[in-house]
Amino acid sequence: MNTNYFDHLSELESEAIFVIREVYSEFENPVILFSGGKDSILLTHLAKKAFYPAKIPFPLVHIDTGHNFPETINFRDSLVNKFNLNLIIGDVQKSIDEGIVKEENGINASRNYLQISSLIETIEKNNIDGAMGGGRRDEEKSRAKERFFSHRNEFSQWDPKNQRPELWNLFNGKKNFGEHFRIFPISNWTELDVWRYLKKEKINLPSLYFSHKRKCVVRKNTILSYSKFITLSINEKIIEKEIRFRTCGDMTITGAVESKATNYDEIIKEISMSKYTERGNRADDKRGDSAMEDRKKEGYF
């Protein structure tokens, strides 16, 4: 990695830490939305840097669908114990049991959409007024519309046409009672930036991100990890493939890529040559042209 790229990563790091410190100074009950994926792990690392040697002052909030990768849950618990962090869990299964949301049925059933209700309930229950996430503008077209400080109304809804200007790194955190903000400190990072920074900082990740053999189901050109949460159609078969994941989410919708990349250097090379975005293999984003934006308007991450 050349010196110029180190400078570029340093600038991105400084910007993100500046935003994280702004969140701490402007909000009363801020949190980090933690999925166990690479971006939320990176965000947690940046928060640690921002306040070192003090403890990270934000709780982690994880919305547990009950259909998470076991590797993700194990990594989450290990990280919480390592850094003595507070963990708040929103339970989708609890929302289903209480009749707040209804479980989807059929071959394409997923709990991904059901996370919205659990997230909103968790935000309201804990009086959260600032929720930091690992969203980046290069991931998906609706996320490209987000500001660093993204306002949500009293119903946790997002209006992409009513965004506040952010000039000269001035962020407007003013809100009315019951409203909150979603904040995205790594908005300007690319997937390649993330991986180069992870390598530079020697940040550990769940094994999901590195090539491994796994039982899979190929559905509509998407490679899904086979689990008890997936209902097979008559013509679908379970096959073993050498894969890795570029994103991390609900097992029923998170697509993998065939890969032999087992370390940071190989992944960086692979991403540099890829013609597809990391969310291009997510089944939830294929439900419609505006699937992500529609979910975000209703309160999704």
Side-chain angles (χ1 to χ4, degrees), residues 69-119:
F69 289 95
E71 296 94 329
T72 302
I73 299 300
N74 292 336
F75 190 94
R76 179 201 70 186
D77 293 343
S78 176
L79 187 73
V80 167
N81 291 330
K82 181 178 180 181
F83 296 115
N84 190 27
L85 303 175
N86 296 325
L87 176 65
I88 299 171
I89 298 176
D91 190 350
V92 173
Q93 183 63 56
K94 178 174 175 287
S95 296
I96 294 171
D97 294 341
E98 294 176 351
I100 298 172
V101 294
K102 184 178 180 181
E103 183 92 76
E104 291 184 3
N105 297 312
I107 293 174
N108 296 310
S110 168
R111 288 186 174 182
N112 195 51
Y113 184 82
L114 305 187
Q115 294 181 83
I116 297 173
S117 178
S118 298
L119 174 60

Side-chain angles (χ1 to χ4, degrees), residues 32-44 60-65 67-77 79 87-88 112 115 132-135 139 143 206 208-209 246-250 254 279 282 300-301:
I32 294 175
L33 298 176
F34 189 83
S35 67
K38 67 183 187 307
D39 298 316
S40 60
I41 292 170
L42 168 62
L43 185 57
T44 305
L60 302 186
V61 170
H62 181 230
I63 306 303
D64 186 355
T65 66
H67 292 175
N68 295 288
F69 289 95
E71 296 94 329
T72 302
I73 299 300
N74 292 336
F75 190 94
R76 179 201 70 186
D77 293 343
L79 187 73
L87 176 65
I88 299 171
N112 195 51
Q115 294 181 83
M132 287 182 285
E139 286 183 272
R143 286 188 168 171
L208 293 168
Y209 283 101
R246 292 174 70 181
T247 65
C248 182
D250 192 290
T254 303
R279 291 190 67 93
R282 293 269 299 214
Y300 190 71
F301 301 114

